């Protein structure tokens, strides 16, 4: 694992551009049009250009609209100017971007809009051959800038299945691609696609695909198993599963079985730029904790609530009004220490005293621990401990949805998995488990493991959320009652303030580190693990 961390540091040149001297870069503001028949072709051309232009230095950044899923592109743009003295010049058109950066490319590859999988093959070729990705209609534009045709996929894959297309791509290109990472460029399919992570995969010369982990697609599944088995130990699967082909649960279960880590989403932007900035000189993570790791607290006869937001800070509510009004825990994507340090520094710099950061998800990346091979678990968790130490984090969040579907189903951990976590993290304050409600609970020495009791869907009316929580409070009459609440990524903090006002007392919302310390003082919950006889939903 240490070798892999060092490798990413070398590849990304993290820290090479700390805030010690001014540097120039270009940026573009994009609209939200990702239609295949609309804005997608220009965006894929520019994404390939971005990945190539950012190989030598961080030269090209993209700001997305405020309603884009990753809402931090503009705040981070401002952070780079303020803390790293980056002087940005705006590019208004693809023509201007080509004029500035066409020297980064050696030619172009044509993808076939009539064959969706050909785009991923073209992305793979782009990384290996320093090529721009274009449609037939864009050929005159790139040739105008002196670029030559490297390959043309139009017609090559007509009438062939995705399994056949990717099998051909594996034969042609896989041996030349990096085996430290792979790009699962899935997500949106059909008339709209959002391959905003393609710049990163092109820069790193990854193999692109959207193969299915669904057993109903046996040929695709077999080919993906081959690819995962040939990745180096501890590698990262970037991107996201293909919507409509398989599920998040199927894909994460599959890669976890190989001891690999998931890092998404498919539309996470600007990694080719972000990875080249380290932390500013003198910066050190200091988590705004509320209790010392070795402190002992005593719970009173009341209901204690703690709110936790997972799904990565950058697609949550960090920039929305209300943050800081309630104690709130935020699950940090710890791998960003390797390829997006400035984003982590931005979050920590702008934290309020009520914001508390926890490690996750399940380890040094998104994984399902019930399926991690026993021989891979210790090294993976060693990597997680090192990142948690660097980030001053003292709580590990765990999630295993391999027997669930979204927030419905069995998200409990086996006793064997729980034993492994307690052995791997002797110095944490405690553990959090689940996504939707779960029933895994334990307390060993002073380290509790508690599962979510409730999941707040952002679409559920607030008065119904308050009624649900009051029902849980009434049903769990023994005090103290520890009510751990998972807040879905797009919930508004102001609405949670209103919910808290409607709860039956006595209740107290506390920071999650305090919550776990209180839970260690009075074990009013039962020890429980996943029972093999439990019903499972998948």
């Amino acid at each position: 694992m240490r070798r892999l961390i060092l490798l990413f540091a070398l590849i990304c040149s993290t820290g090479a551009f700390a805030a010690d001297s001014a540097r120039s870069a270009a940026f573009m503001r994009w609209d939200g049009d990702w239609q295949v028949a609309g804005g997608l072709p220009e965006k894929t051309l520019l994404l390939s250009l971005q990945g190539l232009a950012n190989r030598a230095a961080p030269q090209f950044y993209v700001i997305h609209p405020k309603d884009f899923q990753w809402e931090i592109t503009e705040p981070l743009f401002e952070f780079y100017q303020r803390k790293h003295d980056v002087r940005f010049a705006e590019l208004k058109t693809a023509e201007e971007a080509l004029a500035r950066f066409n020297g980064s490319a050696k030619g172009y590859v044509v993808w076939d809009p009539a064959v969706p999988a050909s785009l991923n093959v073209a992305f793979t070729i782009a990384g290996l051959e320093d090529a721009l990705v274009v449609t037939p209609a864009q050929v005159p534009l790139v040739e105008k800038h002196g670029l030559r045709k490297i390959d043309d996929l139009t017609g090559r894959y007509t009438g062939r299945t995705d399994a056949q297309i990717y099998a051909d791509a594996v034969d042609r290109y896989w041996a030349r691609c990096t085996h430290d990472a792979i790009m699962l460029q899935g997500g949106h399919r059909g008339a709209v696609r959002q391959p905003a992570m393609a710049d990163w995969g092109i820069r790193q010369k990854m193999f692109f695909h959207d193969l299915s982990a669904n057993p109903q697609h046996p040929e695709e599944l077999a080919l993906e198993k081959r690819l995962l088995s040939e990745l180096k130990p501890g590698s990262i699967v970037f991107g996201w599963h293909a919507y409509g082909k398989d599920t998040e649960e199927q894909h994460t279960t599959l890669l976890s079985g190989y001891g690999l880590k998931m890092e998404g989403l498919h539309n996470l932007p600007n990694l080719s730029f972000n990875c080249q900035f380290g932390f500013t000189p003198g910066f050190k993570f200091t988590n705004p904790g509320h209790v010392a790791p070795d402190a002992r607290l005593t719970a009173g006869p009341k209901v204690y609530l703690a709110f936790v937001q997972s799904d990565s800070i950058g697609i949550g509510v960090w920039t929305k009004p209300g943050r800081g009004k309630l104690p709130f825990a935020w699950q940090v994507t710890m791998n960003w220490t390797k390829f997006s340090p400035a984003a982590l520094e931005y979050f920590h710099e702008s934290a309020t005293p009520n914001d508390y950061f926890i490690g996750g998800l399940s380890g040094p990346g998104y994984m399902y621990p019930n399926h991690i091979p026993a021989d891979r678990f210790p090294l993976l968790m060693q990597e997680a401990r090192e990142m948690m130490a660097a980030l001053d984090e003292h709580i590990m969040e765990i999630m295993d949805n391999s027997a669930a579907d979204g927030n419905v189903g069995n998200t409990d951990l086996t006793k064997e998995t729980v034993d492994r976590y307690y052995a791997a993290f002797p110095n944490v304050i405690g553990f959090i488990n689940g996504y939707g409600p779960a029933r895994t609970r334990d307390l060993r020495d002073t380290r509790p493991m508690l599962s979510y009791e409730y999941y707040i869907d952002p679409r559920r009316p607030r008065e119904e959320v308050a009624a649900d929580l009051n029902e849980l409070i009434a049903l769990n009459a023994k005090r103290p009652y520890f009510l751990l609440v998972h807040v879905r990524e797009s919930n508004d903090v102001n609405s949670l303030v209103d919910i808290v006002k409607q709860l039956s007392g006595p209740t107290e919302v506390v920071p999650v580190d305090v919550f776990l310390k209180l839970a260690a003082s009075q074990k009013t919950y039962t020890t429980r693990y996943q029972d093999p006889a439990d019903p499972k939903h998948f």
Side-chain angles (χ1 to χ4, degrees), residues 477-488:
K478 190 172 184 179
R479 301 290 181 262
Y481 171 42
F482 301 100
L483 178 47
L484 186 62
V485 180
H486 180 201
V487 181
R488 187 69 165 90

Side-chain angles (χ1 to χ4, degrees), residues 21-332:
S21 60
R23 61 175 299 101
S24 63
F27 78 99
M28 292 188 77
R29 292 185 180 273
W30 285 6
D31 60 25
D33 180 8
W34 293 87
Q35 294 278 338
V36 175
L40 179 69
E42 181 175 272
K43 287 181 173 64
T44 55
L45 186 158
L46 290 169
L47 284 163
S48 59
L49 182 62
Q50 184 186 28
L52 298 177
N54 287 340
R55 271 208 180 132
Q59 301 183 92
F60 191 5
Y61 187 85
V62 175
I63 299 174
H64 291 267
K66 292 185 183 300
D67 60 353
F68 189 66
Q69 190 165 17
W70 296 91
E71 59 185 35
I72 64 167
T73 56
E74 184 132 25
L76 197 54
F77 171 73
E78 296 165 355
F79 180 87
Y80 282 126
Q81 295 175 84
R82 177 168 49 85
K83 298 298 290 284
H84 290 271
D85 201 17
V86 179
R87 299 172 184 177
F88 286 101
E90 185 171 7
L91 301 173
K92 298 283 191 178
T93 66
E95 181 83 49
E96 291 180 10
L98 283 167
R100 178 156 179 163
F101 295 122
N102 71 330
S104 302
K106 296 177 181 176
Y108 64 87
V109 54
V110 185
W111 68 285
D112 188 347
V115 182
S118 71
L119 179 57
N120 279 334
V121 179
F123 282 145
T124 299
I125 295 169
L128 296 175
E129 304 292 349
D130 298 347
L132 298 184
V133 175
V134 302
T135 62
Q138 293 170 313
V139 169
L141 173 63
V142 291
E143 288 189 342
K144 173 183 171 183
H145 288 271
L147 297 176
R148 62 181 178 85
K149 181 173 69 177
I150 291 176
D151 207 344
D152 187 344
L153 305 182
T154 54
R156 178 184 297 176
Y157 297 123
T158 301
R160 302 178 73 176
T161 67
D162 284 0
Q164 292 169 335
I165 292 169
Y166 289 122
D168 178 77
V170 167
D171 290 342
R172 292 173 184 261
Y173 311 115
W174 172 234
R176 296 170 55 201
C177 293
T178 178
H179 283 39
D180 291 297
I182 196 167
M183 181 61 71
L184 177 60
Q185 192 63 75
H188 295 73
R189 300 174 68 231
V192 175
R193 301 176 71 176
Q194 282 190 357
M197 210 186 206
D199 65 301
W200 175 237
I202 289 170
R203 184 185 189 272
Q204 304 301 107
K205 300 185 179 182
M206 296 183 200
F207 185 87
F208 285 72
H209 71 93
D210 68 342
L211 289 163
S212 173
N214 190 333
Q216 294 181 7
H217 306 138
E219 292 181 351
E220 291 190 42
L221 178 56
L223 183 58
E224 183 167 17
K225 285 181 176 180
R226 174 193 161 184
L227 292 171
L228 296 181
S229 70
E230 293 178 8
L231 288 170
K232 295 177 182 177
S235 294
I236 300 178
V237 177
F238 288 96
W240 205 237
H241 76 100
Y243 300 153
K245 263 190 173 184
D246 59 9
T247 67
E248 173 184 342
E249 291 76 18
Q250 288 172 325
H251 230 115
T252 310
T253 300
L254 176 64
L255 66 91
S256 298
Y258 291 90
L260 304 173
K261 300 162 285 190
M262 187 78 209
E263 201 62 65
L265 296 171
H266 60 291
N267 54 8
L268 175 59
N270 293 313
L271 286 190
S272 65
F273 186 93
N274 294 343
C275 80
Q276 301 186 66
F277 289 84
F279 304 123
T280 55
F283 174 79
K284 182 179 180 181
F285 287 104
T286 303
N287 209 347
H290 307 85
V291 61
D294 59 350
R296 292 179 180 269
L297 304 181
T298 301
K302 63 173 69 174
V303 177
Y304 292 98
L305 294 98
F307 293 112
V308 180
Q309 198 268 7
S310 65
D311 294 288
S312 183
I313 300 173
I315 55 175
V317 295
W318 189 266
T319 62
K320 293 182 173 64
R323 184 172 57 83
K325 291 183 179 180
L326 286 175
F328 223 72
W330 304 84
Q331 176 257 315
V332 173

